[in-house]
Amino acid sequence: MLPGLELAVERIRKNHYAFPAVESDKLAAARLRGVPQELMAFYGLCDGALIGNGDDFADPNGRRYRLKIPRLTDLQTAQSHGYIFHTSPLFDASGKWWQILDYGDANWLAFDASSDSDCIIDVFHETAGEPDSHAIVANSMEDLLDRLIRRNGAYWFDKDFEALGYV
């Protein structure tokens, strides 16, 4: 287990909402679906999370949040979600873009397991699949969680955001 990932989930539990950890049979099924190891480590700690003040998503107690990391059984790729046209040059790669952060407005951040970098990219529905239009917003799941917690779920593309690169 990644120590920083454990710390990030603890911080989410304290100030936001994290679902209980996923049962081992669901983790085994996800492994068979090809869910990357770094995401499996996260889901071994919690089955999704709600972060940041907002109105888009509610926890079981009714508190409202801005962002949602989906439950493991709801986790899918951008390609399987239907965001990417078959004619896109990134269609094959999008089969390994695991949609891990829902903004509640048809826009997602995705864990890009299509290369060795395992970075987090934006997948905005208006530009999904267009080359050089997916900003790299974090270098890992741990980095993403840290940024989300520090910014309290603030939107990525405000005036002080700088992309780490593009896919």
Side-chain angles (χ1 to χ4, degrees):
M1 191 64 56
L2 304 170
L5 198 56
E6 289 177 354
L7 179 60
V9 170
E10 285 177 29
R11 289 169 58 203
I12 291 170
R13 284 193 200 291
K14 182 178 178 185
N15 298 309
H16 305 278
Y17 185 83
F19 290 92
V22 174
E23 301 87 14
S24 60
D25 60 325
K26 289 182 182 174
L27 285 172
R31 208 171 276 113
L32 292 174
R33 286 194 309 136
V35 174
Q37 184 57 39
E38 189 172 350
L39 294 182
M40 297 294 289
F42 171 78
Y43 284 105
L45 297 168
C46 67
D47 188 13
L50 302 168
I51 300 171
N53 298 326
D55 295 323
D56 295 308
F57 305 102
D59 69 18
N61 300 315
R63 183 175 169 198
R64 307 292 298 180
Y65 298 88
R66 172 71 182 105
L67 307 171
K68 176 175 76 172
I69 297 173
R71 311 286 297 261
L72 182 59
T73 56
D74 297 329
L75 185 68
Q76 61 184 331
T77 66
Q79 185 185 88
S80 64
H81 188 72
Y83 270 176
I84 312 295
F85 290 111
H86 288 61
T87 56
S88 168
L90 299 175
F91 181 77
D92 290 339
S94 72
K96 293 185 178 189
W97 292 354
W98 294 91
Q99 295 185 174
I100 49 127
L101 188 75
D102 185 353
Y103 269 98
D105 61 1
N107 293 310
W108 288 80
L109 293 183
F111 183 92
D112 180 3
S114 68
S115 66
D116 293 334
S117 64
D118 288 345
C119 60
I120 310 299
I121 61 173
D122 69 34
V123 183
F124 291 128
H125 66 276
E126 298 92 351
T127 58
E130 294 179 21
D132 299 319
S133 66
H134 302 283
I136 299 170
V137 299
N139 290 315
S140 66
M141 189 68 179
E142 181 182 331
D143 183 29
L144 172 66
L145 294 175
D146 180 63
R147 290 169 186 255
L148 291 174
I149 293 165
R150 278 188 291 119
R151 297 173 69 94
N152 194 30
Y155 189 68
W156 285 107
F157 294 104
D158 59 12
K159 63 183 179 202
D160 66 340
F161 175 78
E162 290 186 34
L164 303 175
Y166 288 87
V167 172

